[in-house]
Amino acid sequence: MIMILIRLMVVLPILISAQGYAHELPELGDISQATLTPYQERQLGLQIMRQIRADPRYLDDAEIASYLSNLGHKLIANSNEASIDQTFEFFAVQDPSINAFALPGGFMGFNSGLIIAAQSESELAAVMSHEIAHVTQKHLARMIAEQKYDWVKSIASLAVAILAARSSAQASQAILVASQASIIQSKLDFTRKHEKEADRIGLNILLDAGFDPQGMPTFFERLQKAGRFHETGAPSYLRTHPLTFERIADIQNRTREMPYRQVPDSIDFLLVRAKLRALQGKSYEAVAQFKTRLEEKRYNNEAVERYGYIQALLRDKKAHQANAELNRLYQVLQSDPSASVLSDHVLGKPIRIEYKQLIAGAMMETLAADVLVANDKIAEAMKTYQHALKRYPQHRALIHGYGRTLIQNKKPQAALEFINKQLQLIQDDAQLFGLQAQCYELLGDKMLEHRAQAEVYFLKGHFGAAIDQLKTALQHGNGNFYQLSSIEARLKQLQTLKSDEEKAEK
């Protein structure tokens, strides 16, 4: 369970208690390098990420991940905080609670509940800036340097806790209490200093990137009110790490003298939030909520609301209704200039959506193709994918969808050629390797099917299963010398990685 991960690691929450909060903001300096190199920090983060990717709550959605990555790198690009060699990766977790966390090595996770709770893009950017500051200031590296042995034990317990959470939340909580309580308590005073520094630096990052600096105090204040008036349903961070009035007041004082800045939300942000709302809870409940909001006209952007409604309908297996709603979405886009600009479009033809934000246009194109596939209009869907890929060649959701559609249309060889071309540029995509495995299965190549499936398991953190797949691939042995040598080399590499990880956990 990802929530166990967040509490277990004490990974620099955006909200943490700060008794005796002082207005001075300390410069902590870079004191971690003597004990933890950037390479070691990155490897530690990769080890934890393998556990996260193996968890069912990890949101493996290319469009959501792409948006978070674009927003994060926009913040970083306008900041002088990050070093040239610093690597960042942003990802989402399917969890309704309001949480965000940073891991060693530049990995940052954001719960779906937090993204939905943010009422403006500046608020989400404020949380992200705060987490970026934790990474650039190497706060986790400092914590590890202070009690390195205990932190290694914490990471070893992490795998057990996540696995236990799948079958018993109580069991995972028992592991949490037994192995982590003393470490968490010993770190609280240290992380209070980190929070002060992350507030200061995060606010500067937010401002330099062109967002509204009021997004930070506004979001924190709303969370505090949620904790005060809704005790049983308060945001999860507030239940364990209460946000003080002093901290909010300090941020407000810093932003009060800043000039007013009205920053409109990007259509990308609005569409991603709508998609996450469509993925929340039971599918029929999501459909009902969108339908009610549309009927009562409780929305700021009708096109965005209809986009989310169609996503919910597809999730609820209502393909024909989704197709009807797609036509209504087209009409809204054609008639409402404020929704966006739709040009050169005739119903029934591949859509041409003109957005300044590339993600938004690609998301609309992907939705249209998905609706066609759901209604068994495969030929039309393929045309839509082909046209869209010419304009958005790097949009992974389109790449995945086109590959799947080629396979469904009984064209495994064409699908394989397309996927192999993509894998030359994208080597960390489990979905692409899964599609590659399907192609080899349809083409009857068992060796390469298992070779591709091994990469799926590896990227999802299942080392043992990946090794088994490679061994099975070698048993078929129907490849040429180069292919067999490649599989053998990959097997040795994964066996070494698995052995090293097992030693580190002892």
Side-chain angles (χ1 to χ4, degrees), residues 239-387:
R239 291 197 297 269
T240 53
H241 304 291
L243 180 66
T244 64
F245 286 103
E246 288 85 355
R247 183 175 169 198
I248 291 179
D250 184 71
I251 301 172
Q252 288 174 335
N253 288 335
R254 293 176 181 281
T255 58
R256 187 172 291 117
E257 302 303 322
M258 294 178 180
Y260 174 72
R261 178 182 287 173
Q262 186 175 10
V263 183
D265 296 329
S266 72
I267 192 70
D268 298 341
F269 168 72
L270 298 175
L271 290 177
V272 165
R273 285 180 76 246
K275 186 172 187 178
L276 286 169
R277 284 166 47 213
L279 294 174
Q280 225 177 20
K282 303 292 184 182
S283 60
Y284 64 87
E285 293 174 342
V287 168
Q289 289 170 4
F290 275 102
K291 184 179 180 181
T292 299
R293 288 169 64 93
L294 284 165
E295 289 175 347
E296 298 177 356
K297 299 186 183 302
R298 291 191 291 110
Y299 50 75
N300 293 323
N301 186 311
E302 184 178 356
V304 169
E305 201 68 20
R306 291 198 178 279
Y307 169 87
Y309 186 30
I310 296 167
Q311 290 283 6
L313 287 168
L314 288 175
R315 183 182 167 213
D316 202 36
K317 310 298 183 185
K318 290 183 169 58
H320 293 302
Q321 193 175 346
N323 188 61
E325 290 298 327
L326 183 66
N327 289 334
R328 292 190 180 94
L329 173 59
Y330 287 168
Q331 292 167 7
V332 170
L333 291 170
Q334 287 174 317
S335 62
D336 184 2
S338 67
S340 274
V341 179
L342 184 69
S343 64
D344 301 328
H345 174 65
V346 179
L347 289 178
K349 300 291 184 181
I351 60 179
R352 299 285 187 276
I353 298 177
E354 302 292 340
Y355 283 119
K356 292 182 180 178
Q357 294 87 356
L358 292 181
I359 295 177
M363 288 178 73
M364 287 288 194
E365 298 270 14
T366 303
L367 179 68
D370 288 346
V371 171
L372 290 170
V373 171
N375 284 277
D376 294 323
K377 299 178 180 179
I378 303 299
E380 292 180 50
M382 288 181 64
K383 290 181 182 178
T384 300
Y385 279 126
Q386 289 165 357
H387 282 282

Side-chain angles (χ1 to χ4, degrees), residues 40 60 66 76 106 108 123 129 136 261 269 278 294 309 311 345 358 361 392 447 452 475-476:
Q40 290 171 327
D60 188 15
S66 180
I76 294 164
M108 278 167 274
E123 291 186 4
S129 296
T136 61
R261 178 182 287 173
F269 168 72
L294 284 165
Y309 186 30
Q311 290 283 6
H345 174 65
L358 292 181
Y392 311 106
M447 183 190 75
Q475 289 174 1
H476 286 283

Side-chain angles (χ1 to χ4, degrees), residues 449-466:
E449 175 194 345
H450 289 289
R451 172 68 175 87
Q453 191 61 43
E455 294 305 317
V456 175
Y457 284 127
F458 169 73
L459 290 169
K460 290 186 175 182
H462 303 295
F463 277 17

Side-chain angles (χ1 to χ4, degrees), residues 180-234:
Q180 302 303 317
S182 61
I183 299 176
I184 291 174
Q185 186 59 48
S186 69
K187 295 301 175 186
L188 283 178
D189 291 335
F190 198 29
T191 54
R192 285 174 191 146
K193 296 178 183 179
H194 294 160
E195 290 300 302
K196 295 176 187 179
E197 188 174 46
D199 280 342
R200 175 179 58 80
I201 293 175
L203 190 58
N204 290 336
I205 292 173
L206 186 69
L207 191 64
D208 291 342
F211 288 99
D212 181 6
Q214 296 298 329
M216 184 175 286
T218 300
F219 190 61
F220 285 176
E221 188 173 14
R222 189 181 318 114
L223 291 182
Q224 187 184 56
K225 288 180 180 178
R228 187 164 69 248
F229 295 116
H230 305 284
E231 183 177 352
T232 58

Side-chain angles (χ1 to χ4, degrees), residues 393-422:
Q394 297 180 337
H395 193 72
R396 291 201 191 188
L398 286 170
I399 293 169
H400 297 159
Y402 185 49
R404 283 194 302 269
T405 305
L406 284 169
I407 292 172
Q408 292 174 13
N409 207 30
K410 310 299 182 185
K411 296 183 178 181
Q413 187 60 47
L416 182 61
E417 291 173 4
F418 171 74
I419 292 164
N420 285 345
K421 182 179 178 181
Q422 300 301 320

